[in-house]
Amino acid sequence: MRELKSFVLLAGQLHFGRAASLLHLSQPALTKQIRRMEGELGSPLFERGRHGTALSSFGKQFLKEARTMVTGFERLLERAQSSARGESGHLSIGFGFHTLEFVPRLIVRLREIAPGIGVDLRDMSTAEQVEALRDGKLDLGFLRLPAPDAFRILPVIKDRLVLVSSPALPLPAHATLADCRERPFVSITEERAPGFFNHMLRLCAKSGFHPRVVQQVPEFTTALALVQAGLGIAIIPESVGTSRFPGMRVHPLKDKDAAWSVGAGWRKGDTNPALAKFLQLLKEEMKNA
């Protein structure tokens, strides 16, 4: 590539002395480069005569492709350097209901400081994110902790379980989980969120019962709509909120085991510069929180 760039510059100058100066080479070194190219190609690139230097017929043909090659290489180099600085590249990020507001806010900031980074966002459960991280389909996920040892983890937020009811099937204002042993429950499916589902079962078992689940659904918004309609009560993460469902009543669960943490997780040894840029932004966000 260095010899190609020398050839293209000399073809524009048609003067060995000026071209060598621009290339920061001695004139004999430039001459040696060109002669080496001509030897490899099997034909002269320049004609040297008393009127100076001129491109040969073969040199004129070769110049067209050489210019394209040099321009393409310089663009490739620029893109690679931009990617290495974390200014461009690609990220695939998984997130769940815990970070439904937090992650989009980060992506807006990332667009501001590194608009060249393309981002895929995927709404997934922790179990789905763990599998995708292991398979290399995600660069980073926001996972319910604890997470597998194969990942680096940065704790991000805390969440906790709460009970929700509605006037259609009311609970006393200060109801505890133990008060709900005879009540029908609406729950998200174990397949969709196995970590959450098992957490709910453990908490109910601690209160001495197994919840009577009358309906399982794939999304918390659907569960809340069914609670509002009077099908049952539900245990949901506090972060989900109930503002879109007027009249809903939230009953905090004071048990310390109702709380858990969510952290950003990524593969150990991942050297993706775009990931490093996002993690830098994430750490700044956590510091200012």
Side-chain angles (χ1 to χ4, degrees), residues 141-174:
F142 287 88
L143 315 171
R144 170 191 281 265
L145 302 182
D149 292 338
F151 305 138
R152 295 282 302 278
I153 296 295
L154 176 65
V156 174
I157 62 172
K158 293 185 181 295
D159 208 344
R160 63 182 300 111
L161 298 177
V162 295
L163 267 172
V164 289
S165 64
S166 75
L169 193 67
L171 282 175
H174 300 291

Side-chain angles (χ1 to χ4, degrees), residues 2 26 38 100 129 138 179 196 201 236 249 261 284:
R2 184 164 52 247
S26 67
E38 290 175 331
L100 195 57
Q129 290 183 65
L138 283 183
D179 297 327
F196 169 83
L201 293 185
I236 67 167
R249 176 174 283 177
S261 297
E284 290 173 2

